[in-house]
C-alpha cells in the first residue's frame, strides 16, 4: 500500500512525502484452470506462453480469456466459455493462485454433411475422400480443408469461378454440427486456342512441347502453372507470362502464352 501527503514548507515550497506499507509477499503464483477436463492444464499453460500472453494474465485478463475461447474452438469445443483470470490469495500461507474458470461444453463432431447446387459433379464425386466426415471430430481447419478440396475438384473440371459457401447448424445436446455446402458453379472455362508471342529465338513447336494446355481442353490452372515452370526450366526464357482472355463464345476462354 502506498500513500502520500503534500506539505508546505516555511520557504513556500511544497514537499510530497510517500509512505509505504509492505503487504504479504507471495512465493510462486500458480496458474489453475477450474473446469478444464478435455484439455489438460499443461496444454493450456503452454498455449498461453506460446502466444506470449503470460504477462497479460495479470495486465489484461479479458484478452487471455478471449484467446482461450478461440483456442478451445480450434480444438472442437465450439461452445466453450472462459472467464477472465481472478486471484485466489492465501496470505497466511504466502500462497496464491490465478484461477481461470472454464466451461468446456461438448466436443463437437461433424453431423450431417450436405452438398447442394452441384450439377457438373455428383455429390458422390465431391464427397470422396472429403476430410469432413459425419462423426469425425470437428475442427475449423478441417472445414477449410474440405472447402479447398471441393474447389480443387471444380478447378480440375474448368470451373475456375466456382463459388462455394457453407452454413453450420449446431446440435448442442448431441454435440453435433451439421455442415451444408451451397455451390454456385458459374461458367466452365474451355481453351479455344493457344497463342504464342515473343518467342523469337525458339520455335512454336518447342514452346508448345512444354505447354500442358491445348485447344478444346478445360482451362486447368494447375496445368498452366506447370507449363510456366517447365518453360522456365528449359533455360530459354527470362520471362514467361500466361494470360487468359475471354472470347465471344460463351463459357470459353482463350489462353495466350507470352
Amino acid at each position: 500500500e502506498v500513500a502520500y501527503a503534500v506539505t508546505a514548507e516555511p520557504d513556500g515550497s511544497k514537499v510530497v512525502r510517500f509512505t509505504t506499507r509492505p503487504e504479504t509477499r507471495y512465493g510462486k503464483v500458480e496458474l489453475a484452470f477450474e473446469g478444464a477436463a478435455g484439455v489438460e492444464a499443461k496444454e493450456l499453460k503452454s498455449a498461453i506462453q506460446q502466444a506470449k500472453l503470460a504477462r497479460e494474465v495479470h495486465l489484461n485478463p479479458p484478452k487471455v480469456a478471449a484467446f482461450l475461447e478461440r483456442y478451445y474452438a480450434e480444438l472442437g469445443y465450439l461452445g466453450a466459455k472462459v472467464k477472465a483470470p481472478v486471484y485466489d490469495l492465501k496470505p497466511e500461507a504466502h500462497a496464491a493462485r490465478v484461477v481461470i474458470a472454464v466451461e468446456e461444453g461438448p466436443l463437437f463432431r461433424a453431423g450431417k454433411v450436405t452438398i447442394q447446387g452441384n450439377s457438373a459433379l455428383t455429390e458422390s464425386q465431391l464427397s470422396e475422400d472429403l476430410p469432413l466426415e459425419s462423426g469425425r471430430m470437428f475442427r475449423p481447419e478441417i472445414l477449410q480443408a474440405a472447402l479447398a478440396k471441393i474447389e480443387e475438384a471444380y478447378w480440375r473440371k474448368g470451373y475456375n469461378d466456382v463459388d462455394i459457401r457453407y452454413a453450420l447448424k449446431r446440435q448442442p445436446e448431441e454435440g453435433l454440427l451439421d455442415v451444408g455446402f451451397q455451390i454456385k458453379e458459374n461458367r466452365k472455362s474451355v481453351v479455344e486456342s493457344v497463342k504464342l508471342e515473343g518467342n523469337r529465338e525458339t520455335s512454336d513447336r518447342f514452346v508448345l512441347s512444354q505447354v500442358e494446355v491445348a485447344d478444346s481442353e478445360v482451362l486447368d490452372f494447375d496445368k498452366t502453372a506447370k507449363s510456366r515452370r517447365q518453360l522456365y526450366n528449359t533455360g530459354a526464357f527470362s520471362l514467361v507470362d500466361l494470360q487468359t482472355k475471354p472470347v465471344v463464345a460463351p463459357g470459353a476462354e482463350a489462353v495466350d502464352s507470352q
Side-chain angles (χ1 to χ4, degrees), residues 161-230:
D161 296 322
V162 64
D163 182 25
I164 306 172
R165 309 202 176 188
Y166 62 85
L168 305 177
K169 182 180 179 181
R170 296 188 187 186
Q171 299 185 46
E173 295 79 11
E174 294 82 9
L176 296 176
L177 188 71
D178 295 338
V179 183
F181 291 99
Q182 184 65 44
I183 298 173
K184 185 178 181 182
E185 293 177 339
N186 292 316
R187 68 178 184 178
K188 180 179 182 178
S189 300
V190 179
V191 179
E192 181 184 72
S193 62
V194 179
K195 299 179 181 179
L196 307 179
E197 295 179 4
N199 55 316
R200 302 182 185 88
E201 305 297 330
T202 55
S203 66
D204 288 0
R205 182 177 179 181
F206 173 76
V207 175
L208 291 174
S209 69
Q210 305 299 317
V211 176
E212 297 286 326
V213 295
D215 297 0
S216 301
E217 289 186 354
V218 297
L219 178 60
D220 185 340
F221 285 139
D222 283 342
K223 288 186 176 182
T224 61
K226 184 178 179 181
S227 300
R228 182 183 288 108
R229 290 195 301 270
Q230 290 179 168

Side-chain angles (χ1 to χ4, degrees), residues 71 109 111 127 140 153 226 230:
Y71 185 78
R109 298 184 180 276
S127 300
K226 184 178 179 181
Q230 290 179 168

Side-chain angles (χ1 to χ4, degrees), residues 110 113 126-134 136-139 141-150 181:
V113 180
L126 294 172
S127 300
E128 186 177 0
D129 298 326
L130 201 65
L132 186 64
E133 300 176 1
S134 296
R136 183 174 178 178
M137 185 178 70
F138 180 87
R139 298 180 71 164
E141 62 264 29
I142 295 177
L143 174 61
Q144 293 303 317
L147 182 64
K149 191 169 182 62
I150 295 175
F181 291 99

